[in-house]
Amino acid sequence: MFDYAEDDMSSYKLTYFNIYGLAEPIRFLFNYGGIDFIDERMTEEDWLRLKATMPFGQVPVLEVNGKKINQSTAICRYLAKQVGLTGQDDWENLEIDAVVDTISDLRVKINAAHYEKNAESKAQKLAVAKSTTDLVIDRLNDRVAKNKGHLVNGKLTWADLYFVAQLDLLNARAARDILKNAKNLQELRDKVLALPKIKAWIEKRPKSDY
Amino acid sequence: MFDYAEDDMSSYKLTYFNIYGLAEPIRFLFNYGGIDFIDERMTEEDWLRLKATMPFGQVPVLEVNGKKINQSTAICRYLAKQVGLTGQDDWENLEIDAVVDTISDLRVKINAAHYEKNAESKAQKLAVAKSTTDLVIDRLNDRVAKNKGHLVNGKLTWADLYFVAQLDLLNARAARDILKNAKNLQELRDKVLALPKIKAWIEKRPKSDY
């Protein structure tokens, strides 16, 4: 184990389960930047023991030099600054944040339908998830055409990595290929997955569920 | 009407309904900073006409010098930079972002219970909302004790304004005073509401629902 205490570089430990879930965008960013991190994947048993030690009883949680912080999107934004994937001014960062939160909201709606147990409520939530997915994917696809093959700002940003890292989960929960009619987004996905450090991560990451 | 085109200051138009909802934190930030903005409050009829013109078919949307942007939290972060309510480094901003998203997630859970129509699902969602509220409020209350009367960083940040601007909505949807046992958060609320520009806004803002 590398002894971070003898070096001035930050030490990072990411705690989550052995799934993609909310942690995969964080793992993409660490790998993109070539930053070492401990990728702690808890069992259910670990979780019972560790839950009370987490800032708001939830994961993913990132520990930076011993300080714990929750909220996956906030963590992604922080790491994006370290690895040079933010915008060049406040407006560009606003554009990135808006797209990321739009994708995050989409996941919330898709999850709400997926996890609903009551048949009547589920039908209603599936309809909302379907129409939201169609609209969001359609508009994001249009944006890629206007942003030189990226979601915003005409260049690679952490919004692109966030989106691609969440895709497997979104497809699995929606139980369909949500990019089926979105050629530009398919190309963006392929481009991100072909980035050498992301490609290497995909090849070496532990087998896991979404 | 002020002619922004003849001046170098930005022009802002905020489009939403005549409710607090997701727009009130944005309105707090504009008022805190003494920034002029058009506070457009649509009728349902307006909305039918304007929905298709919004970036992702949703509001609030902020128009900055004619460019439209969605997502309330992203907009708040952008405005916080303009009015000096961000952190002094990346870590402080991460702390702010994590608390804001924790509050936002709480609202999502409380709303999910409030809007659920099926009785069985509603009971289950109310239980989740109740336990999440108790845990989040308890931990936020502890943080205020450690942060000189603020949520993070030992000073006033946009997380404080965001929280207080959402409180009426959270209380209304939860159908109880969620700060009843949280003395530190009550004091924080009173402090924010006593800020001269926020106090003036509360007094002059249009009567509206949550």
Side-chain angles (χ1 to χ4, degrees):
Chain A
M1 183 73 76
F2 188 85
D3 185 358
Y4 290 103
E6 295 195 346
D7 200 287
D8 66 1
M9 69 188 286
S10 293
S11 91
Y12 295 103
K13 183 169 84 170
L14 176 65
T15 301
Y16 197 56
F17 302 103
N18 186 32
I19 53 174
Y20 300 162
L22 296 169
E24 201 59 18
I26 300 172
R27 296 182 187 125
F28 265 46
L29 282 158
F30 273 128
N31 279 279
Y32 174 85
I35 298 174
D36 281 336
F37 71 109
I38 300 169
D39 188 13
E40 182 179 55
R41 295 168 184 247
M42 298 180 294
T43 61
E44 287 295 325
E45 205 172 55
D46 296 330
W47 179 228
L48 291 176
R49 184 168 46 84
L50 294 172
K51 187 172 165 60
T53 71
M54 296 302 164
F56 288 92
Q58 291 190 311
V59 283
V61 159
L62 182 66
E63 214 172 308
V64 184
N65 300 327
K67 288 187 287 184
K68 285 181 185 150
I69 194 88
N70 69 320
Q71 286 294 344
S72 58
T73 307
I75 293 168
C76 285
R77 185 177 300 106
Y78 177 80
L79 293 178
K81 289 173 189 163
Q82 321 295 315
V83 306
L85 285 178
T86 52
Q88 68 181 5
D89 56 30
D90 292 345
W91 180 266
E92 285 198 358
N93 283 317
L94 171 55
E95 292 265 16
I96 293 171
D97 288 352
V99 162
V100 166
D101 280 355
T102 297
I103 296 163
S104 182
D105 280 0
L106 176 61
R107 186 192 59 243
V108 169
K109 288 207 171 78
I110 289 175
N111 272 341
H114 176 78
Y115 287 112
E116 179 60 54
K117 290 206 166 62
N118 176 270
E120 190 189 356
S121 290
K122 194 180 184 82
Q124 184 261 329
K125 289 184 178 64
L126 280 169
V128 170
K130 172 77 166 66
S131 66
T132 306
T133 303
D134 290 348
L135 184 142
V136 168
I137 293 299
D138 188 54
R139 301 227 173 155
L140 290 178
N141 194 59
D142 285 350
R143 291 194 170 211
V144 173
K146 293 175 192 140
N147 280 282
K148 302 179 187 167
H150 295 284
L151 285 172
V152 288
N153 303 340
K155 64 191 169 199
L156 185 73
T157 69
W158 67 279
D160 296 324
L161 267 67
Y162 184 92
F163 177 66
V164 176
Q166 291 272 274
L167 253 184
D168 290 325
L169 173 67
L170 296 174
N171 282 332
R173 297 275 163 79
R176 64 185 174 112
D177 174 10
I178 63 172
L179 298 194
K180 196 180 172 193
N181 302 313
K183 274 261 176 296
N184 303 333
L185 288 172
Q186 289 171 21
E187 284 174 26
L188 170 62
R189 175 198 58 202
D190 296 345
K191 187 159 48 185
V192 168
L193 294 177
L195 293 168
K197 297 219 162 153
I198 298 298
K199 190 162 182 285
W201 167 244
I202 301 287
E203 281 162 12
K204 81 175 184 194
R205 67 180 171 185
K207 278 256 175 226
S208 86
D209 212 339
Y210 311 109
Chain B
M1 182 73 77
F2 188 85
D3 185 358
Y4 291 103
E6 294 195 346
D7 200 286
D8 65 359
M9 70 188 284
S10 292
S11 89
Y12 295 104
K13 183 168 85 169
L14 176 65
T15 301
Y16 198 55
F17 302 103
N18 186 31
I19 53 174
Y20 299 162
L22 296 170
E24 201 60 18
I26 301 171
R27 297 182 186 124
F28 266 45
L29 282 159
F30 273 128
N31 279 280
Y32 174 84
I35 298 173
D36 281 336
F37 72 108
I38 300 170
D39 188 13
E40 182 179 56
R41 294 169 184 246
M42 299 181 292
T43 61
E44 287 294 325
E45 204 173 56
D46 294 331
W47 180 228
L48 292 176
R49 184 167 47 82
L50 293 172
K51 186 173 166 60
T53 71
M54 296 302 164
F56 288 92
Q58 291 189 312
V59 282
V61 158
L62 182 67
E63 216 171 307
V64 184
N65 300 327
K67 288 188 287 184
K68 284 179 186 152
I69 195 88
N70 68 319
Q71 286 295 343
S72 58
T73 307
I75 292 167
C76 285
R77 186 177 299 106
Y78 177 80
L79 293 177
K81 290 173 188 164
Q82 322 294 314
V83 306
L85 286 179
T86 51
Q88 68 181 4
D89 56 31
D90 292 345
W91 180 267
E92 285 198 358
N93 283 317
L94 172 54
E95 292 266 15
I96 294 170
D97 288 352
V99 162
V100 166
D101 280 355
T102 297
I103 296 163
S104 182
D105 281 359
L106 175 62
R107 185 193 59 243
V108 169
K109 287 209 172 77
I110 289 175
N111 272 342
H114 176 79
Y115 287 112
E116 179 59 53
K117 290 205 167 63
N118 176 270
E120 192 188 356
S121 290
K122 194 180 184 83
Q124 185 262 328
K125 288 184 178 64
L126 280 170
V128 170
K130 171 78 167 64
S131 65
T132 306
T133 303
D134 290 347
L135 185 143
V136 168
I137 292 300
D138 188 53
R139 303 229 172 152
L140 290 178
N141 194 58
D142 285 349
R143 290 195 170 210
V144 173
K146 293 175 192 140
N147 280 284
K148 302 179 188 167
H150 295 284
L151 286 172
V152 287
N153 302 341
K155 66 192 169 199
L156 185 74
T157 69
W158 67 279
D160 296 323
L161 267 67
Y162 184 91
F163 177 65
V164 176
Q166 290 273 275
L167 255 184
D168 289 326
L169 172 66
L170 295 174
N171 282 332
R173 297 276 164 77
R176 64 184 174 113
D177 174 10
I178 63 172
L179 299 194
K180 195 179 171 195
N181 303 313
K183 275 260 176 297
N184 302 332
L185 289 171
Q186 289 170 21
E187 284 173 26
L188 169 63
R189 175 198 59 203
D190 295 346
K191 187 158 49 186
V192 169
L193 293 176
L195 292 167
K197 297 219 162 154
I198 298 297
K199 190 163 184 282
W201 167 244
I202 301 288
E203 281 162 11
K204 80 176 183 193
R205 68 181 170 183
K207 277 254 175 230
S208 86
D209 212 337
Y210 311 108

